[in-house]
Amino acid sequence: MDSTSYRLVPAAHDDSTSKASVKDTANSLGTHDTLRYGQRSLADDITPGNGLWEETQDNLKLNMQRNLYGLHAPVRLMMERKLVGYNPHFPTLKQSNIHLDILMGRDETLDFGDLFGDTITGPEFQIHSDMEKKRRI
C-alpha cells in the first residue's frame, strides 16, 4: 500500500478547540449559514498555531516534489533545511533565520512575531549558564 498522502487539510483535530461545529452553523438545508456565522474556511476549522496545518501542507508539497522530480528533490530540501536550521550562536539572543524562512516558503508572509517580535518576557539573560548548557560543559 502506498503511503503517499495528498491531504489538503489535517486528518483530525480536537473538536473541543473549534468554535462551532458544522451542526451548530447549519441552516435548514444542512449547509453552513454564511449570513449568520460569516464566511467559512478550512483554515478556521483548525486551531491556529498548533502546527498541524503547516505540517500537512509541507508533507503535501514534499510528496508532490517526490512524484514530479524524484526522491532526490525532497531529500535535498530537507537536508538544506537541516543545514540552515543549525544555529551555533548564543542561545539566549533573538535570531532570525531568513534562509529557513525562504526554504519553508514563509518569506512572503507576515506573522505577529515578524512585526512585534516576541512579546514574552522571561527571566534575565544568563549567557554563561546557557552556553554551558548548550555546549554540555
Side-chain angles (χ1 to χ4, degrees):
M1 182 171 212
D2 192 12
S3 66
T4 303
S5 172
Y6 294 110
R7 188 180 302 275
L8 296 176
V9 296
H13 65 284
D14 187 14
D15 290 332
S16 65
T17 59
S18 62
K19 297 176 191 169
S21 67
V22 177
K23 292 179 186 177
D24 296 335
T25 62
N27 59 14
S28 61
L29 299 175
T31 60
H32 175 71
D33 192 356
T34 307
L35 294 177
R36 287 190 183 153
Y37 300 103
Q39 292 285 340
R40 181 178 171 166
S41 69
L42 294 175
D44 291 339
D45 290 342
I46 299 168
T47 307
N50 67 355
L52 195 56
W53 176 264
E54 289 84 11
E55 180 183 344
T56 305
Q57 293 295 314
D58 190 42
N59 287 337
L60 173 69
K61 289 176 187 174
L62 290 174
N63 279 330
M64 291 178 73
Q65 280 185 356
R66 185 187 68 194
N67 291 337
L68 285 173
Y69 305 114
L71 185 60
H72 76 282
V75 169
R76 178 180 175 185
L77 184 62
M78 295 303 291
M79 182 182 62
E80 289 174 352
R81 286 181 188 174
K82 185 176 180 183
L83 287 172
V84 300
Y86 175 69
N87 188 4
H89 301 292
F90 293 115
T92 58
L93 301 177
K94 175 146 176 24
Q95 309 257 327
S96 77
N97 195 343
I98 188 69
H99 308 294
L100 187 59
D101 287 343
I102 291 170
L103 288 174
M104 296 291 289
R106 296 183 303 226
D107 56 333
E108 295 180 356
T109 59
L110 288 176
D111 294 328
F112 181 81
D114 294 334
L115 297 175
F116 301 109
D118 291 333
T119 58
I120 301 170
T121 57
E124 291 189 26
F125 294 124
Q126 297 176 354
I127 293 177
H128 295 290
S129 63
D130 290 336
M131 286 302 291
E132 288 172 358
K133 270 192 241 176
K134 185 173 183 176
R135 303 290 179 195
R136 297 181 183 136
I137 297 176

